[in-house]
Amino acid sequence: MRYRSQEVAYWYFAVAMALFGLQLVFGLLSAAKYLGPDPLLYILPFDVTKVIHTNLLVVWVLTGFMGATYWMVPDESRTELHSVKLAYIQLVLWVLMGVTAVIGYLFRFGTGNKLLEQPLPHKIVIVVVMLMFLYNVGMTIRKSGRFTTTEGVLLLGLGLAAVLYLPALLEFENYTVAIFYRWWTIHLWVEGVWEMIQGGFLAYLLIRLSGADREVMEKWLYVIVGLVFIAGILGTAHHYYWVGVPSYWLPIGGIFSALEPLALVGMAMYAYTAMRRSGLSHPNTLALHWTLGSAVFTLFGAGLLGLAHTWPSVNKWTHGTLITAMHGHAAFYGAYAMIVMAMISYALPLLTPGRREGGSALGYWSFWLQLAGMFGMTLSFATAGIGQVYLERILGLGYLDAQLKIQVHFLMLIATAGVFSTGVALFIWDFFRIRPNFEIIGDDTDAANRAPSAPRPRMA
């Protein structure tokens, strides 16, 4: 690494990997409950395991975003972080919030607002942490006097993600109103500003890994930002179809949801173009695998599968079924999990000297097992969801009767989830198996710009 303060990223990545592993545990528990009988019914019922599974997803991805930002911003700004100490305080507060929230979920202490179940005190901590984060990053860029478009798009995405969390602080007694405003956070995060964050990381990695021209990458970023604002914001309406809002939302949601994949097509196109130009010349081919994989799997999961069931005439049958889980798993994994692992794979050889820069055999096994496992999980959810739609929405069977008839698909789901989990376990093991050693690699000019870092945590 070129800057001492980039060591902060390692600890954020370490926390993210631990939470990723925990998320998979609760995901497998949730899937197994579909098969029954459930020996943990009165200890860890389905509603508890699912809440923890989905909320851990959001928390670990955001942790990965923070770590990746603390790696990327010093590198782009060519200066140390404004405050290493503040970054560590932020991490401690974030972990305490996450741990106490999970413990609370075990005792059903939450708001019941899907993906935003955090109690109000936890939400206030989240706001404080995000403000600390944005202040630290903003001051770093300000003192450097260097502001790239890649940083700008990343910072815009992070800032809007913080702003769009504010509706989650409000409570509404009317369920329809609560659902309406919930999508202001959830949709505008995952199908809006988070795509800017992904685009910023994607551009940074492609510039570093493929030697792609910065000016070309930045032009693509402007296209992505424009499409996110045009399609992503109004595309929120596709969540409004069946929650009691006026009918004019149907054509708005349908049209602009159909435009949303264009941003994802743009990402995949410029990733492929950059790869063709470079000829895979950078030694860190594992990071390049994750980078290109994120662009392509985002197009598949978020783009094609999302478009496949968000059009009103289709969504009236698929809404609230396992078809949604099909789209959700593939989209989150491709767009956000894979880009975090790409940033980790790029930074890790510099944070743990002695590691092969091109990636280990474990790393490549992890990549292909995760890809195969997630594709299999997507097919499992798709076949189960199609069966569910036909049995429940067309034949009129009750929910539990339909679940019994599609149970066989959950055997495939658990089998493919096992493949995926094996890949994740290999990634986590590969991450932790070599101790960090924060050596500085740079010229004298870099050294002159670096300030002493705050005391850092020690690994046991």
Side-chain angles (χ1 to χ4, degrees):
M1 60 187 185
R2 296 176 61 197
Y3 301 96
R4 172 67 67 186
S5 56
Q6 285 179 296
E7 69 186 53
V8 171
Y10 178 86
W11 304 107
Y12 278 84
F13 291 153
V15 171
M17 289 299 95
L19 295 175
F20 191 12
L22 192 61
Q23 184 217 351
L24 286 185
V25 170
F26 283 96
L28 288 169
L29 274 175
S30 300
K33 290 175 184 293
Y34 277 89
L35 298 176
D38 183 7
L40 299 177
L41 179 61
Y42 299 105
I43 302 172
L44 283 173
F46 178 80
D47 63 315
V48 172
T49 59
K50 184 184 177 184
V51 163
I52 295 175
H53 174 65
T54 53
N55 280 270
L56 280 174
L57 167 63
V58 175
V59 173
W60 91 253
V61 166
L62 285 173
T63 309
F65 282 171
M66 292 175 188
T69 302
Y70 279 140
W71 173 270
M72 172 181 152
V73 167
D75 199 30
E76 285 283 284
S77 296
R78 300 176 184 172
T79 188
E80 297 285 358
L81 282 178
H82 171 69
S83 174
V84 175
K85 183 178 180 180
L86 187 64
Y88 282 130
I89 293 172
Q90 173 198 329
L91 179 60
V92 170
L93 285 175
W94 185 252
V95 171
L96 287 174
M97 179 280 301
V99 169
T100 54
V102 169
I103 293 172
Y105 297 149
L106 292 173
F107 296 96
R108 290 183 169 82
F109 184 57
T111 64
N113 200 4
K114 186 178 178 183
L115 291 172
L116 297 172
E117 283 95 348
Q118 308 86 18
L120 184 59
H122 291 76
K123 289 180 178 177
I124 292 172
V125 173
I126 291 171
V127 171
V128 170
V129 166
M130 290 303 296
L131 289 174
M132 292 168 64
F133 175 57
L134 291 171
Y135 172 79
N136 207 358
V137 172
M139 291 300 291
T140 302
I141 295 172
R142 182 173 179 269
K143 78 171 183 177
S144 73
R146 173 183 164 85
F147 190 54
T148 66
T149 301
T150 305
E151 284 180 312
V153 171
L154 176 63
L155 197 58
L156 179 62
L158 292 168
L160 288 174
V163 170
L164 291 169
Y165 187 71
L166 296 179
L169 300 177
L170 305 175
E171 290 190 17
F172 303 95
E173 291 185 4
N174 184 291
Y175 182 72
T176 297
V177 174
I179 291 296
F180 183 90
Y181 285 110
R182 182 171 75 87
W183 290 118
W184 282 29
T185 297
I186 298 303
H187 170 89
L188 291 173
W189 264 6
V190 302
E191 297 178 65
V193 296
W194 280 20
E195 287 184 14
M196 294 185 198
I197 297 170
Q198 183 203 15
F201 291 142
L202 199 59
Y204 168 79
L205 287 167
L206 288 172
I207 290 168
R208 292 297 189 279
L209 294 170
S210 70
D213 183 76
R214 179 179 288 272
E215 188 176 340
V216 173
M217 292 295 102
E218 290 176 347
K219 286 178 180 177
W220 273 111
L221 282 177
Y222 288 129
V223 173
I224 290 169
V225 170
L227 287 169
V228 165
F229 272 100
I230 294 170
I233 292 175
L234 290 174
T236 310
H238 79 251
H239 297 289
Y240 293 163
Y241 296 159
W242 323 120
V243 295
V245 298
S247 59
Y248 59 73
W249 284 115
L250 270 73
I252 293 174
I255 291 168
F256 287 97
S257 291
L259 294 176
E260 281 183 41
L262 292 179
L264 311 173
V265 171
M267 286 185 186
M269 283 176 59
Y270 87 64
Y272 179 73
T273 302
M275 179 195 71
R276 287 288 301 272
R277 287 182 177 178
S278 70
L280 299 175
S281 58
H282 193 280
N284 196 338
T285 52
L286 179 59
L288 195 56
H289 274 63
W290 284 111
T291 303
L292 297 176
S294 175
V296 174
F297 214 86
T298 298
L299 175 59
F300 166 67
L304 298 180
L305 295 183
L307 181 60
H309 87 111
T310 55
W311 195 256
S313 58
V314 176
N315 193 254
K316 69 179 182 180
W317 303 105
T318 62
H319 192 82
T321 68
L322 291 166
I323 295 294
T324 304
M326 166 202 75
H327 163 55
H329 279 75
F332 258 98
Y333 177 70
Y336 308 124
M338 289 186 81
I339 200 65
V340 169
M341 285 186 278
M343 287 294 294
I344 291 173
S345 298
Y346 175 73
L348 206 54
L350 300 171
L351 291 167
T352 54
R355 185 184 298 269
R356 182 172 170 268
E357 188 175 10
S360 65
L362 282 175
Y364 287 101
W365 273 104
S366 170
F367 175 81
W368 291 112
L369 286 173
Q370 284 189 49
L371 212 60
M374 181 53 68
F375 189 72
M377 289 168 63
T378 302
L379 291 179
S380 302
F381 277 122
T383 51
I386 291 169
Q388 182 185 12
V389 168
Y390 181 73
L391 293 170
E392 288 183 21
R393 306 289 166 87
I394 297 177
L395 295 187
L397 265 66
Y399 175 79
L400 292 178
D401 289 333
Q403 291 301 314
L404 285 173
K405 294 184 181 299
I406 64 174
Q407 216 171 38
V408 64
H409 297 294
F410 281 87
L411 292 172
M412 179 181 174
L413 175 66
I414 290 174
T416 52
V419 174
F420 178 76
S421 299
T422 302
V424 173
L426 290 177
F427 191 94
I428 294 172
W429 169 249
D430 194 36
F431 180 92
F432 285 109
R433 70 187 176 89
I434 298 178
R435 292 172 62 89
N437 182 11
F438 306 121
E439 295 180 356
I440 304 299
I441 302 172
D443 56 28
D444 294 336
T445 304
D446 292 333
N449 291 329
R450 286 188 289 271
S453 65
R456 59 182 183 271
R458 300 284 183 184
M459 291 190 70

